[in-house]
Amino acid sequence: MACRISELVLECREPETLAQFWCAVLDYIVLDRDDDGSMEIGPREGFGGPQPTIILSPTDNPTPGKARLHIDVNPTDRDQAAELARLLELGARPADIGQSGDEQWHVLADPEDNYFCLLKARIDPV
């Protein structure tokens, strides 16, 4: 039997702000809040399904920008341009990490400057 990714952990200054952003981006909900200020967000079905949850772990000095691991998202119910407009409206910002301009994806930063990519392909939301 193989493993699968069940959780992603993202260090941040303001878990509540990032929870609002990523819940809106991914149609996730807050699943849990810990006394230390960390929050777990995930699909409405909860932990253990096919999609990983995200744990937002508070820290005073998160490392912003290009990390060795980042999140890629794909639109599920609209084309890439419409999804880009929605993400920008939610608070994402374009990020320049040296792209050529010929990429089929957009590099963005969330409200705490963590980079993520909006890919072109639409995928089935199930």
Side-chain angles (χ1 to χ4, degrees):
M1 172 174 267
C3 291
R4 71 173 179 81
I5 296 172
S6 59
E7 302 158 345
L8 301 171
V9 179
L10 185 59
E11 292 182 343
C12 58
R13 286 180 295 278
E14 297 182 29
E16 188 71 42
T17 299
L18 282 190
Q20 290 174 10
F21 176 79
W22 284 108
C23 282
V25 169
L26 300 171
D27 192 28
Y28 273 17
I29 60 169
V30 174
L31 299 173
D32 193 23
R33 296 172 193 266
D34 285 338
D35 292 338
D36 69 356
S38 64
M39 300 175 69
E40 184 171 16
I41 63 172
R44 295 176 186 284
E45 302 79 39
F47 179 82
Q51 294 178 307
T53 62
I54 299 174
I55 296 175
L56 301 164
S57 178
T59 183
D60 291 334
N61 296 310
T63 304
K66 186 167 176 33
R68 293 182 65 187
L69 178 69
H70 68 267
I71 296 172
D72 286 345
V73 297
N74 287 59
T76 58
D77 62 352
R78 64 199 80 193
D79 66 18
Q80 185 187 41
E83 184 64 0
L84 176 61
R86 186 180 83 88
L87 295 177
L88 294 172
E89 186 175 300
L90 290 172
R93 293 175 313 287
D96 182 359
I97 59 168
Q99 323 63 311
S100 69
D102 294 327
E103 294 82 8
Q104 292 188 15
W105 60 87
H106 295 274
V107 180
L108 303 168
D110 73 13
E112 287 201 10
D113 293 324
N114 300 295
Y115 295 162
F116 69 100
C117 294
L118 170 61
L119 305 181
K120 187 172 184 170
R122 278 180 51 180
I123 58 171
D124 186 347
V126 179

